[in-house]
Amino acid sequence: MKPFDSEVISGLKKHIDDLKSQVVIIPHVNPDGDAMGSSLGLARVLKNAGKKVKVIVPSPFPDFYNWLTGSEDVLVFSSSNKKQAEFELQHAEMLFCLDFNDPARTGDMKETVEKFRGTIVLIDHHPYPTDFTDFMISHPEYSSTAELAFHVIKSIGYEKYIDQSGGECFFCGIMTDTGGFNHNVSDPQTFQTVSELLTYGVDPVEIHGKVFDNYSADRMKLLGYCLSECMEVFPEKHTAIMYLSKEIQKKFNFVPGDSEGFVNYPLSIKGIHFSALFTEKEDHVKTSFRSKGEFAVNEFSSAHFNGGGHRNAAGGQTELSLEKALAKFRNLLSDYAEELEKTKQ
């Protein structure tokens, strides 16, 4: 792993040590396990150090993260909560931006984030960050923002404030963002980090069960329907695509988090290197991309669907209708046929 910038770490430590008022922590819109794990893990450590902390999320997070310590105090930004969120930020001295590297990734909170006049800190593992912070800790080589945040905490000398609850948050972030340790785990440090977290009393089996064995029956029926009725496979292009229309979501009582992990399933099909999931929202279509080997889905998403992410895991969105978005994707496959053919598994 690339070492941290010593000046950034020492400056960050001084700012945290000298805090006189509140800290606000914000993850990206539609927060996943890494966003919630890193945010609540950092919040727990700072609270244990005697700091006043508020976590604000741009949109609701899945119910299966409700067990994370501090989740009950999270403020969900909405039209009804906008004034409260702005109040919290106005009375904050520092803003931590976790698991995103562009204010646009905070959805409706973008303007609120951009108006913040205190010290802004970025801790993130996505490539190509934009310059909007005072302290930037951007390390794409890390498996997850949770792992990165854990090491930042150690670097500023706050390791003594990590307890079992904080460790569980960080472990949850690492576990979910690696797909249960199936990708982004090529560096031995990730497993060394997990080993350290276990010393705080973290139970991997229990956490895995809370996250992955905690779905509704409707979610399982939705997955089955999606695989049988909403999946197209293009063997010659080594690609599979799935979609979830608003009608389908309504039929299966869709709630945030229900489609988490769906995009990974087609990659278990022999010969499939590239998988995509298109989810219809009220005013846009959300895209999720996964790949094996050398095919860079972050570059694909950035070029065609206003998104980005990691080489093998990325997302984006489009204002096209679901039908037009799917047609666009199918047409693009011919342009990438040669690259997908030579992609190593």
Side-chain angles (χ1 to χ4, degrees), residues 26-32 35 57-60 100 104-108 317:
I26 297 177
H28 57 74
V29 70
N30 300 318
D32 55 12
V57 294
S59 59
F100 71 93
R105 291 285 289 121
T106 60
D108 292 338
Q317 65 179 49

Side-chain angles (χ1 to χ4, degrees), residues 116-136:
F116 186 73
R117 292 294 174 260
T119 301
I120 302 179
V121 182
L122 171 74
I123 302 178
D124 181 58
H125 75 135
H126 296 92
Y128 317 122
T130 58
D131 185 11
F132 70 102
T133 65
D134 299 287
F135 293 99
M136 180 181 292

Side-chain angles (χ1 to χ4, degrees), residues 195-319:
S195 178
E196 286 186 64
L197 290 172
L198 297 187
T199 66
Y200 293 97
V202 172
D203 186 337
V205 176
E206 181 181 3
I207 293 176
H208 186 279
K210 286 178 177 179
V211 175
F212 295 116
D213 301 330
N214 199 21
Y215 295 121
S216 66
D218 281 331
R219 190 262 185 186
M220 296 301 290
K221 293 177 182 178
L222 173 64
L223 173 60
Y225 185 88
C226 186
L227 291 172
S228 65
E229 304 296 330
C230 307
M231 181 174 69
E232 298 177 58
V233 180
F234 306 89
E236 71 284 359
K237 304 291 175 53
H238 305 283
T239 298
I241 182 175
M242 298 190 297
Y243 63 88
L244 292 173
S245 66
K246 288 188 290 186
E247 291 74 20
I248 293 171
Q249 294 172 57
K250 183 178 180 180
K251 178 179 180 179
F252 292 97
N253 303 308
F254 184 90
V255 297
D258 271 357
S259 61
E260 189 164 319
F262 279 19
V263 69
N264 297 312
Y265 280 89
L267 292 179
S268 63
I269 300 173
K270 183 178 180 180
I272 298 301
H273 308 160
F274 182 22
S275 174
L277 172 65
F278 287 71
T279 304
E280 187 178 23
K281 302 293 185 180
E282 285 301 322
D283 57 356
H284 68 279
V285 173
K286 177 186 175 185
T287 61
S288 300
F289 303 109
R290 297 292 185 273
S291 68
K292 293 179 181 178
E294 299 171 0
F295 187 71
V297 291
N298 56 347
E299 295 178 6
F300 178 89
S301 182
S302 176
H304 305 292
F305 290 98
N306 306 302
H310 305 287
R311 183 181 68 179
N312 298 121
Q317 65 179 49
T318 176
E319 294 182 359

Side-chain angles (χ1 to χ4, degrees), residues 1 142-144 146-148 150-151 154 162 164 166-178 180-185 187-205 207:
M1 297 288 187
Y142 276 76
S143 70
S144 55
E147 182 187 3
L148 177 57
F150 174 77
H151 286 281
K154 291 178 60 179
I162 302 173
Q164 180 176 340
E168 289 172 344
C169 291
F170 293 127
F171 179 86
C172 177
I174 297 170
M175 179 188 71
T176 54
D177 227 40
T178 59
F181 304 100
N182 282 320
H183 52 79
N184 295 338
V185 289
D187 195 298
Q189 180 179 280
T190 299
F191 294 98
Q192 291 168 3
T193 301
V194 169
S195 178
E196 286 186 64
L197 290 172
L198 297 187
T199 66
Y200 293 97
V202 172
D203 186 337
V205 176
I207 293 176

Side-chain angles (χ1 to χ4, degrees), residues 14 17 35 50 56 65 67 97-98 141 148 164 166 193 196 201 216 276:
K14 186 177 189 319
D17 287 343
I56 305 175
Y65 296 125
W67 60 272
C97 298
L98 266 60
E141 69 274 17
L148 177 57
Q164 180 176 340
T193 301
E196 286 186 64
S216 66

